[in-house]
Amino acid sequence: MTAGPTNSLLDVSGLRVGHWQQLDDHVTVAGEQPGTGAATGCTVILTDRPTVGAVDVRGGGPGTRETDLLDPSHSVRHVDAVLLTGGSAFGLAAADGVMRYLEEQGRGIPMGTPGAVVPIVPGAVIFDLPVGHWHTRPTADGGYAAAAAATDSVLPRGSVGAGTAARAGILKGGIGTASIRLTDGPAAGATVAALVVANPVGSVFDPRSGLPWGTTVELGLGTPTEEDLAAVNARGEKGTVLNTTIGVVATDAPLSKAACRRVAVAGHDGLARAIRPAHSPLDGDTLFALSTGTAELPVPEGVPDAFPTELPILAAVCVAAADAVERAIVDAVLSARSVAGIPSYFDTFPSARTL
């Protein structure tokens, strides 16, 4: 396995990503007094054509839309977009704007009459309302703007889009992404990638070393000093009651809806590697999985008649899905910049910066 050309979700052919955010210079975090200023956003993953989708929800407090529809036993196989948003349950309103954008493009399930379509837009939220003014959250207009901004040429990361007000434990969270190109085995030639909004109650770094829990092999981080470690460990925990990490795992390998569900399940292994604890009652951890099917892979041979022929491909994709999610979470933490006084990783561990 090796990283794709952009090491991002955009390495999966057939996907585009757009962000919308509001952020001003006077943002505070709610404590005894309400927060002030604007800090919120949403992110839309647009598919170039109807795309097989599934979901796996592992957190105890999810905020979601259209996840029941993605059950493999249910009728609709394809999605037109996925919404990742801030604003808690209020932020799900942004999906209305994504649907409006898609309807204008003629995208959705045809309903017979010309122009009559129903776009399929599953979504999930993070709880970020204490950062900035409580009543500042994504609306339908924000969702429309994110969809209209979607591109396959560049993918900003860190404190943007749905990651604008995210907090990863006591550090600033955000959006991260990673991709893996499979170079050997039954899925050779396929790409697997992830885009994740890291906003967990759990920690994203080892308190003994200061390094991210997830893989750091290719990051070239320095070793945090004892002084940095002592200062951050004295800060305590995040201290909020609602959190959540959400994201999308995608592949260009052709997979069924049931197989996509298994990819989403495997992606949560990567989440648990990079966040400790994960899947808590205080999180709504949710991962969507998409298969664009744009990679041409040979039909695997030697599969027993009792198993689906895609099984060897699926197994390889699942391994890569966990790795991609793990790397995307580390990327989110290292790419985020401080917002509203919430320190970034490198603000907290300046000794880890080697450049």
Side-chain angles (χ1 to χ4, degrees):
M1 296 188 292
T2 184
T6 70
N7 197 19
S8 79
L9 194 74
L10 299 181
D11 290 331
V12 176
S13 175
L15 299 180
R16 291 175 286 150
V17 178
H19 299 308
W20 170 87
Q21 62 270 330
Q22 272 188 287
L23 181 63
D24 62 38
D25 295 332
H26 307 289
V27 182
T28 63
V29 179
E32 295 182 1
Q33 301 296 323
T36 61
T40 194
C42 61
T43 296
V44 173
I45 296 89
L46 280 185
T47 67
D48 287 346
R49 62 182 183 180
T51 296
V52 178
V55 68
D56 189 49
V57 181
R58 293 291 175 98
T64 58
R65 179 183 189 275
E66 298 278 41
T67 50
D68 281 352
L69 178 141
L70 296 180
D71 187 295
S73 67
H74 293 173
S75 301
V76 174
R77 291 185 61 239
H78 298 113
V79 305
D80 299 296
V82 174
L83 169 72
L84 306 176
T85 182
S88 189
F90 296 107
L92 289 173
D96 294 341
V98 183
M99 290 188 70
R100 175 160 52 92
Y101 175 83
L102 288 166
E103 183 182 30
E104 291 175 359
Q105 310 304 311
R107 290 286 308 277
I109 299 175
M111 291 298 172
T113 306
V117 294
V118 179
I120 303 300
V121 184
V125 303
I126 65 168
F127 183 78
D128 59 357
L129 291 174
V131 182
H133 196 282
W134 184 272
H135 292 97
T136 302
R137 74 277 300 233
T139 63
D141 288 343
Y144 185 98
T151 176
D152 61 2
S153 61
V154 63
L155 205 172
R157 304 165 298 157
S159 303
V160 296
T164 299
R167 287 184 286 180
I170 63 173
L171 302 181
K172 183 67 182 70
I175 280 185
T177 187
S179 72
I180 293 171
R181 176 81 170 173
L182 300 175
T183 57
D184 197 8
T191 297
V192 181
L195 183 148
V196 180
V197 185
N199 184 63
V201 68
S203 175
V204 290
F205 65 90
D206 185 340
R208 298 163 296 185
S209 69
L211 294 172
W213 283 119
T215 179
T216 58
V217 173
E218 73 276 23
L219 300 177
L221 295 176
T223 301
T225 63
E226 292 294 331
E227 291 78 9
D228 286 353
L229 280 169
V232 72
N233 287 329
R235 293 181 183 177
E237 299 179 349
K238 183 175 181 180
T240 58
V241 295
L242 295 171
N243 305 275
T244 295
T245 294
I246 56 178
V248 171
V249 187
T251 182
D252 54 10
L255 297 176
S256 66
K257 192 175 178 183
C260 265
R261 168 65 187 279
R262 184 51 51 185
V263 173
V265 170
H268 278 283
D269 290 348
L271 191 154
R273 294 176 196 164
I275 298 168
R276 304 184 190 185
H279 311 133
S280 79
L282 306 178
D283 291 284
D285 298 340
T286 298
L287 290 179
F288 296 94
L290 300 175
S291 167
T292 65
T294 53
E296 296 184 5
L297 305 179
V299 176
E301 299 178 356
V303 181
D305 292 340
F307 296 99
T309 56
E310 67 183 353
L311 190 60
I313 293 174
L314 174 60
V317 169
C318 284
V319 171
D323 289 346
V325 169
E326 178 185 11
R327 288 172 48 202
I329 292 170
V330 174
D331 181 56
V333 173
L334 298 186
S335 299
R337 64 181 179 87
S338 176
V339 169
I342 306 166
S344 71
Y345 177 83
F346 289 113
D347 290 335
T348 305
F349 296 110
S351 50
R353 191 188 295 276
T354 56
L355 298 180

